[in-house]
Amino acid sequence: MNSSAYNVTKNTPFEVFNPSTGELIGHAPNMANDELNAAVESAKSAFVSWSSLSDEELQKNCLAVTKAIQDHSEELAKLVTLEQGKPLNGLGSRWEIGGAVAWADYTSNLSLPAKTLQDNQDGKVELYRKPLGVVGSITPWNFPVMIAIWHIMPALRTGNTVVIKPSPSTPLSTIRLIEIMQEALPIGVVNVVTGDDKTFNLGAAMSAHPDIRKIVFTGSCATGQKVMQSAATTMKRLTLELGGNDAGIVLPDVDPSAIAEGLFWGAFINNGQTCAAMKRLYVHESVYDAVCESLVAFAKNIPVGDGMDEASILGPIQNKAQFDKVSQLVSEAKERGKVLLGGDPGEGLFFPPTIIADLQNGDSLVDEEQFGPALPIIKYSNIDDAIRSANDSPNGLGGSVWSSDIDMAKKVAARMECGSVWINKHGAIQPNAPFGGVKSSGFGVEFSEEGLMEYTDIQVIFS
Ligand code: NAD
């Protein structure tokens, strides 16, 4: 590891706990302004030579990083499980690291060649994409490694250098990820800072830092707004991937038992702690009872337990604040609707998959982003009402339509106010398709060439 001076901090390191057991699993450095400045300086110095590498050299380095991560997959998966709680198994931490490697590989193989816009007797006009400089990445606790990769790889691939700050709830896997990347890269190209957010707010300081040219932020809408405010004075580029309250709409022509598994994983992947998980389900009255029944029949067999146990498919909620929020929303929903499954908090931070029917817009579990394992189901009789209710949200991240008539489903999809709509699945992001929110869910996209462009300035040369 090419460790840097800023890894030494005078503040007492902060503790990191395993959400499955409550046990202390490690400490992370509690950094403040001096350490942040040192990290930014390190990235700024490295930018000079990194940004002058050829496109082929950048790609080669990114592929080397990808291989290094792949070689440490199991170690990273175990760290993610220990600090985040998601099981090793199922759509858990091994799946997260597999996704991170797939995204890193795909992004390494993208490129943004110069474009000739005009070449005639009036002259030549060429469009070049130039790296921005130091990119600041701020990540949440739900997919600590995958989201770090989504931020870092396009930045590196386009010639930028990076300072990343993970959530105080899940810093350890990011610290290890960056150590692994540093072994494959020149000194200073990627840097990590960690802090507890209480002693000093590193994210706020990064958003205002004069030597950071762009912030790529994934997190809540409220924090995203703060990032945008503090970024204004230094005119930073921003990509803001914020919260979602995705709706799924089930049309009358579905086969309820055929869609049950897709509906379940659309809503409960990572225990619902997923930005583009399905957080509200609108079902036509003609299939309402059958869809509820099939979904519950599938959900009740999912094993929930300690993430390190290979038998577990879902784990605990990651932290107490989120657990309390989910408990509060479920307890309010129980007063208003009918509990079909779960509903009562378990031991520690465990909360069973919970399905509550007969709710409607205006109920808090429908209106707010629960970010946990609790799905509200709403009955509708008219598709226009269902679409109006689905769109009646400040968020606009993802959505889904479930039907055996794809053309009909696409017509409904086109009327939904969100960045991605999936037909007969939900949240199935992929590295070759741009992903991002509309309305309060943020702006800018990640993935594909469109995502790569967000890490560049355009320069046009007229000759
Ligand atoms: P959060 O907003 O509380 O924290 C996100 C990050 O911001 C953390 O690293 C935190 O330390 C940092 N931060 C805290 N104060 C800050 C400040 N003033 N300025 C800058 N950064 C600051 O979010 P969370 O609870 O960690 O994550 C859950 C949220 O993230 C949910 O709303 C979820 O929908 C959203 N999310 C969105 C996407 C997406 O792609 N759209 C993906 C995953 C999660």
Side-chain angles (χ1 to χ4, degrees):
M1 176 195 166
N2 50 14
S3 63
S4 314
Y6 62 83
N7 280 337
V8 181
T9 168
K10 48 195 174 303
N11 297 324
T12 312
F14 63 96
E15 297 173 321
V16 184
F17 296 95
N18 177 347
S20 286
T21 60
E23 283 163 8
L24 181 69
I25 50 160
H27 293 83
N30 202 1
M31 298 182 183
N33 213 28
D34 287 352
E35 292 86 1
L36 173 62
N37 284 337
V40 174
E41 194 47 46
S42 157
K44 199 176 157 189
S45 310
F47 179 72
V48 179
S49 48
W50 181 254
S51 61
S52 61
L53 293 181
S54 70
D55 200 52
E56 291 71 27
E57 285 168 323
L58 286 173
Q59 184 189 43
K60 208 170 118 215
N61 275 285
C62 287
L63 287 169
V65 166
T66 305
K67 164 112 184 25
I69 300 167
Q70 187 163 27
D71 290 346
H72 291 85
S73 292
E74 187 65 12
E75 177 195 355
L76 285 168
K78 284 189 174 138
L79 261 181
V80 168
T81 290
L82 281 175
E83 68 176 355
Q84 204 284 333
K86 68 183 68 177
L88 289 165
N89 222 329
L91 299 177
S93 61
R94 289 190 187 115
W95 180 82
E96 173 171 347
I97 305 301
V101 170
W103 251 271
D105 184 59
Y106 187 86
T107 309
S108 300
N109 287 310
L110 290 173
S111 68
L112 297 174
K115 262 194 200 164
T116 302
L117 305 178
Q118 176 189 306
D119 189 6
N120 59 21
Q121 68 281 10
D122 297 328
K124 195 167 183 184
V125 182
E126 292 157 292
L127 183 154
Y128 292 91
R129 297 232 163 231
K130 300 175 69 173
L132 301 168
V134 178
V135 169
S137 151
I138 303 176
T139 54
W141 47 259
N142 57 343
F143 287 93
V145 169
M146 183 118 88
I147 293 176
I149 289 298
W150 292 349
H151 289 188
I152 295 172
M153 292 308 290
L156 298 186
R157 181 63 189 88
T158 43
N160 302 278
T161 55
V162 175
V163 175
I164 184 170
K165 190 209 81 66
S167 163
S169 301
T170 52
L172 303 179
S173 53
T174 306
I175 292 174
R176 186 65 192 123
L177 173 74
I178 299 304
E179 284 176 351
I180 293 163
M181 295 180 99
Q182 285 173 340
E183 279 165 15
L185 288 170
I187 195 157
V189 171
V190 286
N191 308 269
V192 58
V193 290
T194 55
D196 67 3
D197 276 3
K198 296 179 203 120
T199 318
F200 181 79
N201 194 318
L202 284 167
M206 286 169 74
S207 311
H209 202 291
D211 288 331
I212 294 183
R213 285 284 328 279
K214 174 190 171 91
I215 293 284
V216 49
F217 172 86
T218 302
S220 63
C221 296
T223 312
Q225 287 170 5
K226 289 187 196 157
V227 170
M228 194 169 167
Q229 280 165 355
S230 27
T233 44
T234 49
M235 204 55 85
K236 283 187 179 45
R237 305 292 182 273
L238 292 175
T239 299
L240 298 177
E241 294 288 2
L242 310 180
N245 193 6
D246 292 11
I249 301 180
V250 177
L251 302 186
D253 64 355
V254 294
D255 171 354
S257 55
I259 63 169
E261 182 172 358
L263 287 176
F264 178 81
W265 286 116
F268 290 90
I269 179 169
N270 200 26
N271 242 343
Q273 303 167 118
T274 305
C275 53
M278 189 169 65
K279 298 188 176 118
R280 307 172 274 156
L281 182 60
Y282 296 85
V283 183
H284 190 263
E285 59 186 0
S286 62
V287 284
Y288 186 81
D289 290 340
V291 168
C292 290
E293 222 170 87
S294 304
L295 185 53
V296 169
F298 184 85
K300 69 181 183 201
N301 293 320
I302 298 296
V304 181
D306 186 327
M308 295 303 278
D309 182 344
E310 297 282 350
S312 302
I313 296 296
L314 288 178
I317 291 178
Q318 203 278 329
N319 59 71
K320 179 76 168 65
Q322 197 57 43
F323 178 87
D324 289 344
K325 184 175 178 199
V326 173
S327 303
Q328 176 66 29
L329 288 172
V330 167
S331 110
E332 284 165 21
K334 281 159 76 175
E335 307 278 307
R336 316 266 308 162
K338 183 174 166 202
V339 178
L340 301 182
L341 187 71
D344 294 318
E347 295 279 303
L349 295 179
F350 285 93
F351 204 104
T354 291
I355 298 174
I356 305 188
D358 300 348
L359 291 171
Q360 48 199 311
N361 282 46
D363 293 331
S364 57
L365 187 60
V366 179
D367 288 0
E368 291 177 36
E369 185 193 31
Q370 64 274 49
F371 218 60
L375 179 69
I377 309 189
I378 305 109
K379 188 189 283 184
Y380 76 86
S381 49
N382 175 306
I383 187 62
D384 292 331
D385 291 341
I387 295 170
R388 202 176 304 116
S389 299
N391 289 338
D392 185 17
S393 164
N395 297 111
L397 194 54
S400 57
V401 185
W402 303 74
S403 169
S404 50
D405 181 342
I406 303 296
D407 290 334
M408 169 73 80
K410 280 192 193 167
K411 284 190 185 131
V412 174
R415 294 172 63 191
M416 293 178 79
E417 295 170 0
C418 50
S420 307
V421 188
W422 292 274
I423 314 280
N424 294 326
K425 52 192 172 187
H426 195 113
I429 48 171
Q430 46 189 67
N432 59 353
F435 171 72
V438 301
K439 304 203 284 187
S440 291
S441 292
F443 54 79
V445 293
E446 296 188 275
F447 319 154
S448 77
E449 276 90 357
E450 276 84 356
L452 215 56
M453 286 176 200
E454 302 227 353
Y455 293 84
T456 63
D457 278 334
I458 285 178
Q459 185 176 54
V460 181
I461 297 188
F462 302 80
S463 57

